């Protein structure tokens, strides 16, 4: 019987980045079924126009609504930043998104109120993080930096490569110069660069990982609404992608830290 409680959580991203959120969900909510959607044929979104990102986000939301998910998680900062209203308008279940999740932690944790935010060009240009953090703390000073080269470097698996280190030093230089004590990793690809970014930013700077923030918020919502899966057996994980799955499988397993067994190629 498909009751609301054993329906899957729908999680989506432009590609594989959102798997950092799935990994965190699997750890925090080990009995929840999950359907992941990665638009691998059209990634990256972060350098596309607002209109295009909204169109893609609408198609993915409609797809996941047909799959009867009980909760929708936008595991992509870029879509959260520029297409959230479109997604909410098309969804008949609660929608959680990563920007709000990270903004709350950054506003709470920063002592100096100097907060750095790194993300894709679309996320940074939207100013969504600065707005969300300032709504929680009017005195916060936000220093933002787009990092367009990080997504391809992570996808290449160059997580601690000298080239990545050099590029990261360039990107972080102006932000670190502002004496930030908190750095928001405003893209779901970036948690994979965490050790390298921590090293460059220095140990005194707290890195905020949207994947971890999201898992806590999802667990709270599921408890509040009493929609946790009552079946205490191994959950179903299904991964839907829009391009041939081999690459997704190889790189995705690195993001997830475990084997991916069910992948479906879908057409929107
Ligand atoms: N995962 C996306 C994000 O969190 C970045 C990848 C892309 O540019 O599509 O913003």
């Amino acid at each position: 019987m498909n009751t609301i409680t054993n329906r899957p959580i729908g999680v989506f991203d432009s590609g594989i980045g959102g798997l950092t959120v799935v990994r965190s969900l699997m750890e925090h909510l080990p009995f929840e079924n999950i359907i992941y959607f990665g638009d691998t044929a059209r990634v990256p979104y972060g350098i596309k126009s607002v209109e295009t990102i909204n169109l893609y986000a609408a198609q993915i939301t409609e797809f996941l609504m047909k799959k009867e998910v009980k909760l929708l998680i936008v595991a992509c900062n870029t879509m959260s930043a520029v297409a959230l209203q479109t997604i909410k308008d098309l969804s008949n279940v609660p929608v959680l998104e990563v920007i709000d999740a990270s903004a709350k932690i950054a506003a709470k944790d920063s002592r100096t109120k100097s907060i750095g935010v790194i993300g894709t060009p679309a996320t940074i240009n939207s100013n969504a993080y600065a707005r969300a953090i300032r709504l929680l703390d009017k005195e916060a000073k936000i220093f933002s930096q787009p990092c367009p080269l990080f997504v391809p470097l992570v996808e290449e698996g160059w997580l601690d490569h000298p080239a990545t280190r050099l590029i990261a030093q360039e990107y972080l230089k102006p932000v670190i110069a502002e004496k930030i004590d908190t750095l928001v990793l405003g893209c779901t690809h970036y948690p994979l660069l965490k050790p390298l970014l921590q090293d460059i930013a220095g140990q005194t700077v707290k890195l905020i990982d949207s994947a971890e923030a999201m898992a806590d918020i999802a667990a709270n919502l599921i408890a509040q609404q009493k929609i946790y899966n009552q079946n205490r057996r191994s959950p179903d994980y299904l991964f839907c992608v829009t391009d041939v799955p081999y690459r997704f499988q190889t790189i995705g397993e690195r993001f997830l830290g475990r084997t991916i067994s069910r992948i479906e190629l879908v057409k929107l």
Side-chain angles (χ1 to χ4, degrees):
M1 191 179 54
N2 196 13
T3 62
I4 174 103
T5 54
N6 60 16
R7 285 187 200 165
I9 299 174
V11 184
F12 66 99
D13 179 48
S14 54
I16 53 175
L19 291 179
T20 55
V21 175
V22 172
R23 179 182 185 149
S24 227
L25 287 171
M26 287 170 167
E27 282 161 13
H28 284 68
L29 296 162
F31 300 111
E32 295 300 330
N33 299 314
I34 297 173
I35 294 187
Y36 180 79
F37 185 98
D39 196 359
T40 48
R42 302 189 292 197
V43 69
Y45 282 15
I47 49 170
K48 294 194 167 74
S49 70
V50 170
E51 290 74 19
T52 300
I53 298 166
N54 270 271
L55 172 70
Y56 294 173
Q59 292 171 335
I60 301 171
T61 308
E62 281 165 354
F63 175 85
L64 288 170
M65 286 301 109
K66 287 194 199 121
K67 293 280 186 192
E68 300 198 312
V69 297
K70 65 179 174 186
L71 165 65
L72 204 52
I73 297 184
V74 190
C76 173
N77 290 263
T78 305
M79 280 190 269
S80 299
V82 305
L84 188 61
Q85 199 51 52
T86 302
I87 296 163
K88 283 186 169 167
D89 289 349
L90 291 167
S91 170
N92 50 24
V93 296
V95 177
L96 294 177
E97 51 86 21
V98 275
I99 291 184
D100 206 34
S102 301
K104 279 192 183 120
I105 301 188
K108 181 168 71 63
D109 286 2
S110 176
R111 295 282 157 266
T112 61
K113 297 183 188 290
S114 277
I115 301 171
V117 178
I118 54 175
T120 66
T123 300
I124 298 303
N125 291 340
S126 75
N127 228 13
Y129 266 107
R131 267 199 314 273
I133 297 170
R134 282 215 201 90
L135 214 60
L136 298 160
D137 184 346
K138 279 198 219 59
E139 283 164 27
K141 294 179 291 307
I142 320 296
F143 303 98
S144 306
Q145 174 68 42
C147 305
L149 295 173
F150 278 174
V151 168
L153 287 166
V154 169
E155 300 231 348
E156 201 55 42
W158 287 13
L159 306 182
D160 192 23
H161 190 283
T164 313
R165 184 168 287 270
L166 202 66
I167 290 166
Q169 279 163 343
E170 279 300 307
Y171 281 151
L172 294 189
K173 207 186 288 170
V175 182
I176 295 168
E178 300 295 347
K179 307 234 178 313
I180 54 160
D181 72 342
T182 306
L183 179 66
V184 178
L185 308 186
C187 172
T188 47
H189 279 67
Y190 300 177
L192 279 101
L193 296 174
K194 221 171 172 180
L196 182 128
L197 296 174
Q198 187 76 69
D199 199 34
I200 294 170
Q203 298 305 318
T204 54
V205 175
K206 175 157 193 211
L207 304 190
I208 311 278
D209 172 343
S210 49
E212 277 171 19
M214 176 50 74
D216 279 344
I217 291 182
N220 283 342
L221 184 100
I222 284 177
Q224 253 170 32
Q225 303 214 347
K226 298 194 174 55
I227 52 169
Y228 46 85
N229 190 4
Q230 281 151 27
N231 288 334
R232 288 294 186 251
R233 47 170 200 254
S234 298
D236 288 332
Y237 298 135
L238 171 64
F239 298 87
C240 300
V241 291
T242 49
D243 196 12
V244 280
Y246 327 117
R247 208 174 127 77
F248 177 86
Q249 175 131 27
T250 328
I251 306 170
E253 288 180 352
R254 183 161 64 222
F255 272 64
L256 216 48
R258 66 166 86 188
T259 311
I260 292 178
S261 45
R262 281 183 70 207
I263 308 185
E264 266 175 36
L265 179 62
V266 299
K267 290 272 161 278
L268 289 179

